Amino acid sequence: MTADAPRPASPAHRLPLRWRVMDRVEAVAAALWPAAFRRATPWAFLAPALLLVGILLIGLGYLVSDSLHELNPATYRLRAEYSAGNYEAILHKPVYLAVLWRSLLAAVLVTALTLVFAFPYAYVMVRTRSGALRKLLLVSLFLPFFIGQVVRAYGWLIILGKQGLVNQALEGLGLPAATLIYTYPAVIFGLVQYMLPFAVLMLAPALTAIHEEVELASESLGADWLRTFRHIVIPMAKPGIVGASVVVFTLTLTDFAMPEILGGGTNDFIANTIYDMFFQLSNPGLASALSTVLVAVGSLIVALVFRLAGTGTLGLRSGS
């Protein structure tokens, strides 16, 4: 080896592997995306989401268009003439208003009950000093996501059915069997259990943002735990409460599986009615009108919540 020949870098002076990998990645990115295009980088990241939103808007446009055509019973095709007949049918037939009212009431009940159960769960998960308990709560929180909604609903059939575990326990105690399944409370119960993990996931970041020193300061000034929880924790957790409420409300309002399986066809929500209109009665015009009403009512309620309480954890700034 001559004196001018480059010497290999000693292991002590070689860059870490991850640094060399990042250098290679940056070099490839610079070759594929020149500096002149960097201003367009944010739009490139937004492009897939904007494309999906655009497809959704196109679908909504077709939905609104179909809702303005009535079904021709002779041909089972939509008439070419535009009319408001489908919307008049929704407003004048009590069955559709009853379904819409049942869905809205369930969405409100499920949202309230879910928050009642989710808030202490999220609070304990965030505040506990036990690592084992936190891991147990986290595993219990994410485990239901590995089980589909339909499977969970059929699981409740095993528990709440006429020959289910609850009735077997009642019979063992000498009590008469109870009708627990195919009822409105059964649907509410199943939906609360399904929505609980979503609410906890929305509440946990808001509770994490509340420093424990704030609660300690409140208690040091004479407030007991209940007053601290009421006047400090809940108001400061408002962004998470708003976000969880909106997510649970919208998911419940449009849910199909729980009312279908646990309701047994006697407690249909508006999503079930829309499905029946499309695939059982072959009336896409009326189904589109119901879908449009569902989107409009849900959007108005969510907009009202955002107006009154802010966007919560769903927005970048509190109160925006």
Side-chain angles (χ1 to χ4, degrees):
M1 178 181 295
T2 62
D4 298 333
R7 296 182 178 179
S10 64
H13 294 85
R14 293 186 65 182
L15 295 175
L17 176 61
R18 61 179 183 276
W19 289 17
R20 284 178 281 154
V21 172
M22 289 302 300
D23 288 342
R24 293 291 183 184
V25 171
E26 289 179 356
V28 172
L32 296 176
W33 194 253
F37 297 160
R38 287 181 183 174
R39 287 188 176 182
T41 300
W43 292 105
F45 282 112
L46 281 176
L50 293 176
L51 178 62
L52 292 176
V53 172
I55 294 173
L56 174 64
L57 291 177
I58 292 173
L60 285 175
Y62 276 104
L63 205 65
V64 174
S65 176
D66 286 348
S67 71
L68 297 174
H69 297 280
E70 292 186 70
L71 181 70
N72 185 349
T75 61
Y76 269 85
R77 290 180 178 276
L78 296 180
R79 291 191 172 97
E81 300 82 16
Y82 285 94
S83 76
N86 292 320
Y87 293 99
E88 292 177 358
I90 294 173
L91 292 176
H92 291 96
K93 290 188 177 181
V95 61
Y96 299 125
L97 295 179
V99 169
L100 181 60
W101 167 247
R102 183 186 301 134
S103 304
L104 287 171
L105 179 62
V108 173
L109 289 175
V110 170
T111 301
L113 292 173
T114 303
L115 287 178
V116 168
F117 291 117
F119 200 96
Y121 191 107
Y123 185 82
V124 172
M125 188 175 71
V126 169
R127 285 288 187 261
T128 181
R129 300 184 187 281
S130 170
L133 178 59
R134 182 177 292 108
K135 290 178 183 176
L136 175 64
L137 293 175
L138 280 171
V139 170
S140 303
L141 178 66
F142 284 98
L143 191 60
F145 287 112
F146 296 99
I147 307 171
Q149 186 186 15
V150 174
V151 175
R152 269 190 271 175
Y154 279 111
W156 284 116
L157 283 179
I158 298 173
I159 297 173
L160 302 177
K162 292 181 179 179
Q163 302 297 325
L165 299 177
V166 175
N167 274 329
Q168 289 180 13
L170 291 176
E171 291 176 0
L173 296 173
L175 299 173
T179 303
L180 302 174
I181 205 67
Y182 304 145
T183 61
Y184 193 63
V187 177
I188 300 296
F189 186 78
L191 284 169
V192 170
Q193 189 269 337
Y194 177 64
M195 299 297 169
L196 188 65
F198 296 101
V200 173
L201 288 177
M202 297 298 296
L203 287 169
L207 291 172
T208 304
I210 303 173
H211 296 292
E212 199 169 357
E213 290 79 4
V214 178
E215 299 175 46
L216 296 175
S218 174
E219 293 177 1
S220 67
L221 293 174
D224 56 15
W225 180 85
L226 186 60
R227 295 182 68 183
T228 300
F229 196 78
R230 179 184 174 187
H231 296 289
I232 301 296
V233 177
I234 291 181
M236 293 186 73
K238 178 184 169 184
I241 295 173
V242 174
S245 301
V246 170
V247 169
V248 172
F249 180 85
T250 52
L251 290 178
T252 302
L253 189 60
T254 57
D255 194 79
F256 173 82
M258 287 293 179
E260 180 71 16
I261 297 173
L262 297 182
T266 59
N267 292 279
D268 283 345
F269 282 15
I270 191 169
N272 307 90
T273 306
I274 292 170
Y275 176 88
D276 291 340
M277 285 295 163
F278 266 117
F279 301 105
Q280 302 293 333
L281 302 178
S282 300
N283 191 344
L286 188 54
S288 299
L290 284 169
S291 303
T292 305
V293 170
L294 174 62
V295 173
V297 171
S299 300
L300 283 174
I301 294 175
V302 172
L304 182 62
V305 171
F306 284 163
R307 177 69 178 173
L308 296 176
T311 56
T313 52
L314 299 175
L316 294 176
R317 294 178 180 176
S318 177
S320 61

